[in-house]
Amino acid sequence: MQKLNLAVFISGAGSNLRAIIEACKDANYPAQISIVIANKNEAKGIEFAKENNIPYKIIPHKNFANRAEFEQEILDEINKYEIDLLCLAGFMRVLSNHFLENFKQDIINIHPSLLPKYKGVDAIGQALRDGAEETGCTIHYVVPEVDSGEIILKRRVTIEKDDDSDSLLKKINKEEHIAYVEAIMKIAKTKKITDNAFHE
Ligand code: GRF
């Protein structure tokens, strides 16, 4: 079966990474993970890559004098693989325009709100402070302006009166895992079978 080669970038718990890994275990799922990149030594999610024998590389941003050098190291690493789709899954660094221009394939991100609402940091806190009745998660293409690229899909979550940031985060996370797996599937379907980007 032809599959999209994914690079997944993480910074923390990696629960979205785990959801993608689990989906990729299905022979009929149209994607496979080629490389996982973490920008922090303590990113727990890297364990999921290890457990599943997926290549991974920890590239701590703190080890670099500037963003350009950090990003070049990432580009050098992912260019070893024929990546078709870069998935940001809780990756807490903003990628520069230079990176976006130099990585030719699509990049997607997950954000814990129903974009365009509550862009930027603490989207869950923003929704709670706003007294919103619902929020959710969005998978979108990455463009230079943060949290602003074309939306691929969203999943909704109802905010109950007794929800706090912990309970809401749990509800959103659950939907995120479904959303990420669906979004990759949706993208794979729109790629033409003749596309060089596909791999046997
Ligand atoms: C998710 O809530 C995502 O929306 C945000 O970072 C979190 C990552 O969670 N961008 P995990 O590391 O995948 O568990």
Side-chain angles (χ1 to χ4, degrees), residues 134-147:
E134 67 166 13
T135 185
C137 62
T138 305
I139 310 274
H140 64 93
Y141 286 104
V142 172
V143 295
E145 201 186 330
V146 173
D147 300 330

Side-chain angles (χ1 to χ4, degrees), residues 12-17 89-90 110-112 169 173 176:
S15 67
N16 283 284
L17 167 66
I110 186 155
H111 184 75
L169 174 65
N173 268 168
E176 285 186 332

Side-chain angles (χ1 to χ4, degrees), residues 8-39:
V8 183
F9 286 19
I10 64 166
S11 296
S15 67
N16 283 284
L17 167 66
R18 184 174 52 184
I20 300 167
I21 291 173
E22 290 308 316
C24 289
K25 287 181 182 172
D26 182 337
N28 293 317
Y29 191 69
Q32 58 199 5
I33 302 177
S34 299
I35 176 81
V36 175
I37 302 281
N39 69 311

Side-chain angles (χ1 to χ4, degrees), residues 169-186:
L169 174 65
K170 275 191 193 129
K171 286 198 225 172
I172 292 176
N173 268 168
K174 209 172 152 195
E175 297 306 316
E176 285 186 332
H177 303 158
I178 301 167
Y180 226 133
V181 168
E182 282 184 6
I184 293 166
M185 206 145 57
K186 195 171 167 187

Side-chain angles (χ1 to χ4, degrees), residues 18-173:
R18 184 174 52 184
I20 300 167
I21 291 173
E22 290 308 316
C24 289
K25 287 181 182 172
D26 182 337
N28 293 317
Y29 191 69
Q32 58 199 5
I33 302 177
S34 299
I35 176 81
V36 175
I37 302 281
N39 69 311
K40 289 183 177 179
N41 284 315
E42 63 274 21
K44 283 198 190 129
I46 219 68
E47 294 304 319
F48 301 127
K50 288 184 190 171
E51 284 163 14
N52 288 280
N53 295 315
I54 296 168
Y56 66 91
K57 183 96 188 238
I58 301 172
I59 304 177
H61 61 275
K62 286 182 182 165
N63 291 0
F64 296 85
N66 53 50
R67 189 199 296 251
E69 287 178 21
F70 165 62
E71 291 187 345
Q72 192 54 53
E73 182 77 12
I74 294 178
L75 284 168
D76 288 347
E77 184 61 29
I78 61 178
N79 284 338
K80 294 176 187 167
Y81 305 86
E82 289 181 58
I83 300 301
D84 305 308
L85 183 66
L86 200 171
C87 302
L88 302 180
F91 185 68
M92 303 308 282
R93 306 300 294 177
V94 173
L95 295 172
S96 71
N97 289 355
H98 178 261
F99 186 98
L100 301 185
E101 281 161 15
N102 281 277
F103 183 73
K104 299 294 176 206
Q105 304 296 338
D106 287 332
I107 305 176
I108 62 174
N109 182 41
I110 186 155
H111 184 75
S113 77
L114 298 173
L115 288 173
K117 278 200 156 180
Y118 314 131
K119 294 180 180 180
V121 292
D122 192 22
I124 293 173
Q126 289 184 54
L128 285 170
R129 286 191 292 277
D130 200 26
E133 290 180 353
E134 67 166 13
T135 185
C137 62
T138 305
I139 310 274
H140 64 93
Y141 286 104
V142 172
V143 295
E145 201 186 330
V146 173
D147 300 330
S148 299
E150 184 192 334
I151 290 170
I152 300 159
L153 62 86
K154 303 186 201 189
R155 288 186 69 89
R156 286 169 199 284
V157 164
T158 302
I159 304 178
E160 307 293 347
K161 288 210 163 34
D162 59 352
D163 268 326
D164 58 16
S165 49
D166 286 342
S167 63
L168 193 51
L169 174 65
K170 275 191 193 129
K171 286 198 225 172
I172 292 176
N173 268 168

